[in-house]
Every structure is written in C-alpha cells, then in structure tokens.
Amino acid sequence: MMTATERRKEAAGRVRAAEDAVARLRAGLAGIGVKLPSLRIDPVSCAGDEPVPLVDLGRCSIETALRLATELEAKAAHDG
C-alpha cells in the first residue's frame, strides 16, 4: 500500500506528464502553423487526492480546424 507522500508524488508526476503533453502539442501544432487557443490541462481532472489529468484541446475557429485537418490529411497522404 502506498503512503500519502507516495500518492502525492505519483499524482504530481501525472500532472507534470500532462503539462509536458500540452507543451509538446502546442509546439508541434505551432510548427505547422496551427494554434489552439484553449489548449490546456483540464483543471477539474486535476482535482482530488488522486488526479487523472486530461488534456483539453479546447475550442477553435473553423479556420483553425480546417487548417489542422488539411495538415493531418497531408501527413496521412505523405505517409500512406
């Protein structure tokens, strides 16, 4: 059984991993000219004693969604 300190450390590690994922997504999307203004960690998923952080991709304009779709389609066509 884990101690309270071990549980807190594990929870902090999950939050750091989510923060890293958000940073990597933000950088990767910026590299293709896409910015998701609401990209963040969902604060509600970080609440409680044992958080399970979720990455909230958020809302974006139709233009941004289409730009992202175009880039993903181009990547799929290139790889396929």
Side-chain angles (χ1 to χ4, degrees), residues 1-2 4 11 14 18 30 47 55-56 63-64 75-76:
M1 181 179 248
M2 289 182 17
R14 286 192 298 266
V55 174
D56 185 354
E63 179 182 273
T64 299
K75 174 72 173 149

Side-chain angles (χ1 to χ4, degrees), residues 32-80:
I32 59 170
V34 174
K35 180 179 180 183
L36 296 178
S38 301
L39 178 61
R40 66 186 181 134
I41 297 173
D42 173 49
V44 175
S45 67
C46 291
D49 294 333
E50 296 184 32
V52 181
L54 298 174
V55 174
D56 185 354
L57 298 176
R59 301 181 312 177
C60 65
S61 68
I62 293 170
E63 179 182 273
T64 299
L66 291 173
R67 171 81 172 132
L68 181 55
T70 298
E71 291 294 333
L72 291 170
E73 291 163 355
K75 174 72 173 149
H78 180 266
D79 290 349

